[in-house]
Amino acid sequence: MDEFRLLRPLSGKTIKEITGSLKSPACQPAVCDETVTTSSAANMNFTGTWKVYSEENLEEFLKSIGAPQMIIKMRKEVKPVIIIEQNGKDFTCTVKTPVCTKVHSFSLGKESEITTVDGRKFKCIVREENGKLIAENDKFTSVREIQGDEMIETITAGSITFTSRSKRV
């Protein structure tokens, strides 16, 4: 399987595009036109519009991170729409509620600054691991993953875990 590690930069190309020929001795013509796929950021499919339909432990989580009571009350009443645009390792995540819209951009493996709904800023590094987006800093860990037609985000801060479930719309 070491050969596949070498092909990661070639993900998305056909064997024919990589070798320039269908006559490679290790390749039968029937399979040479298949696309090379690997477990990399280029193959994660977070792009789309997602509507949150379920949230568990939202109030407890917001209290634990010091969100103002006004934000807690508003978020209990609102299910956000999340729009994710992915271009390789670069992401733009737009979170829309009737009250405000927040846009966050980040690149995998690079520190980025995120602004919360109430204006607080924090820095974190987002990485890809087994098709999941993982953001960490000293206060929380967020794991975002696709399971079937759902996007699930689990955020843990101390002993509190918040889970958000969204469907692609």
Side-chain angles (χ1 to χ4, degrees), residues 59-142:
E59 186 173 0
E60 296 83 358
F61 172 75
L62 292 174
K63 285 179 181 177
S64 77
I65 62 170
Q69 191 60 38
M70 177 190 76
I71 297 297
I72 295 170
K73 183 176 180 184
M74 182 271 301
R75 276 295 286 116
K76 285 172 37 178
E77 304 295 322
V78 172
K79 300 283 191 248
V81 172
I82 303 164
I83 302 163
I84 300 176
E85 298 171 38
Q86 178 184 353
N87 184 9
K89 292 184 176 191
D90 299 322
F91 290 78
T92 300
C93 184
T94 304
V95 179
K96 292 183 174 188
T97 69
V99 176
C100 69
T101 297
K102 290 290 180 185
V103 179
H104 310 289
S105 295
F106 61 90
S107 296
L108 295 180
K110 296 182 180 176
E111 185 175 73
S112 62
E113 185 172 84
I114 308 281
T115 304
T116 63
V117 174
D118 62 332
R120 292 178 293 154
K121 296 181 182 206
F122 62 90
K123 294 184 180 191
C124 67
I125 296 175
V126 181
R127 71 180 189 279
E128 180 270 334
E129 191 173 293
N130 298 320
K132 300 175 183 179
L133 292 178
I134 301 171
E136 288 183 297
N137 70 14
D138 59 338
K139 298 190 186 310
F140 74 88
T141 299
S142 167

Side-chain angles (χ1 to χ4, degrees), residues 1-11 15 18-19 24 26-27 36-39:
M1 291 290 174
D2 287 336
E3 307 86 38
F4 291 110
R5 282 190 215 137
L6 297 173
L7 291 177
R8 280 189 179 191
L10 304 173
S11 182
I15 300 292
I18 295 167
T19 64
S24 171
C27 182
V36 174
T37 57
T38 62
S39 171

Side-chain angles (χ1 to χ4, degrees), residues 51-68:
K51 174 71 176 159
V52 173
Y53 72 88
S54 169
E55 296 174 309
E56 300 165 21
N57 292 331
L58 173 65
E59 186 173 0
E60 296 83 358
F61 172 75
L62 292 174
K63 285 179 181 177
S64 77
I65 62 170

